[in-house]
Amino acid sequence: MSEEIGVGPHPEPWPAGKHLDPELLRGGDRRNVIDRYRYWSVEAIRADLDARRHPFHVAIENWEHDRNIGTVVRTANAFAAAAVHIVGRRRWNRRGAMMTDVYQHIVHHPTVSELAEWAGGEGLPIVGVDNLPGAEPLETAELPERCVLLFGQEGPGLSPEARTAAARVLYISQFGSTRSINAGVAAGIAMHTWIRRWAVPSDGSPVWATGG
C-alpha cells in the first residue's frame, strides 16, 4: 500500500504566520505541493510564486476541448511559467491539472489574433512549437528569455492563424516511427528547454529541494 501524500495535523502549539491556513494546520495538508508550502494557504502560495515566476508564457489552442491542457497547466506550474493562455473555448478539462490551476495564472483569449495583440503589446514574441515544413529544431534554437510558447491541438497541431501569428516555429526532433508526439509532452519538452537555457542554477543545485 502506498504512503499517503503530505502531512497530518500540525502539533500544537501552531506556528504563527499569515501565510498559514488554520484548516490545514488542524486537519493536515495532503496536497501535491513541495514541503516549503506545507500548511500554506492557496493565496500565500500564489503570492510567493508571483515574486519569482519566469518571464515565459505558455499558450495552447482549445478549439475541441483538448484534454492535454490540464497537463500543460500542471507542467507550467512546475516550471513557474508567468501564465498559461487558453486560446479558443474558455472551458477546458481541468482534471489533468491536478489542482495546480489554483496556483497558476490562467488567461483566456477568444482568438489567436487577440493573443497576438496582447503579446505584441507586452513585447513578447510568439514561438510556435509544431513539426511543420520550414520549422527550426528546438534542440539548437535560441529561445528568447521573454516569449510565448504556443502549442496547437492534439492531432491538427497549430492552426493556420497560429502559424501566421508565430514569429518562428520550432519542432522537436524525433527518431522513431510516429509522426508526432502528445501535445502535453511536447509542451513539457519545450518548457524544459527554456528552463535549461535560462533558469538552471549555475552551481547545479536542485531547485526543488528548497522550493527556491
Side-chain angles (χ1 to χ4, degrees), residues 1-174:
M1 185 174 182
S2 60
E3 294 184 7
E4 193 170 9
I5 295 173
V7 292
H10 197 290
E12 295 191 35
W14 291 347
K18 293 182 178 180
H19 63 291
L20 299 172
D21 185 323
E23 291 188 10
L24 294 175
L25 290 169
R26 183 181 303 109
D29 188 350
R30 300 299 179 183
R31 301 172 300 174
N32 183 21
V33 296
I34 60 175
D35 290 345
R36 169 193 176 102
Y37 292 137
R38 288 294 173 209
Y39 303 114
W40 286 36
S41 69
V42 169
E43 294 75 17
I45 293 174
R46 280 177 63 107
D48 190 66
L49 290 172
D50 285 346
R52 55 190 182 81
R53 292 188 195 274
H54 295 129
F56 77 92
H57 295 245
V58 179
I60 183 166
E61 295 187 282
N62 183 36
W63 309 120
E64 302 171 359
H65 289 306
D66 195 333
R67 294 183 179 181
N68 288 286
I69 293 177
T71 300
V72 172
V73 170
R74 184 178 181 182
T75 307
N77 168 262
F79 293 140
V84 176
H85 301 256
I86 310 296
V87 182
R89 298 174 183 264
R90 181 180 293 274
R91 295 183 63 184
W92 55 279
N93 191 324
R94 286 172 162 74
R95 185 172 182 177
M98 300 292 289
M99 294 300 294
T100 55
D101 53 302
V102 302
Y103 310 112
Q104 185 65 49
H105 294 294
I106 310 291
V107 183
H108 175 248
H109 303 274
T111 64
V112 172
S113 62
E114 290 177 71
L115 168 69
E117 182 178 359
W118 171 84
E122 297 293 320
L124 296 170
I126 295 178
V127 179
V129 180
D130 201 352
N131 56 346
L132 298 172
E136 309 168 58
L138 173 67
E139 295 78 15
T140 56
E142 177 70 9
L143 285 175
E145 183 177 16
R146 299 181 69 254
C147 64
V148 178
L149 298 174
L150 175 59
F151 304 88
Q153 288 273 169
E154 181 75 23
L158 292 174
S159 67
E161 294 79 11
R163 299 176 194 183
T164 300
R168 59 199 293 207
V169 177
L170 308 179
Y171 72 87
I172 298 169
S173 296
Q174 299 171 208

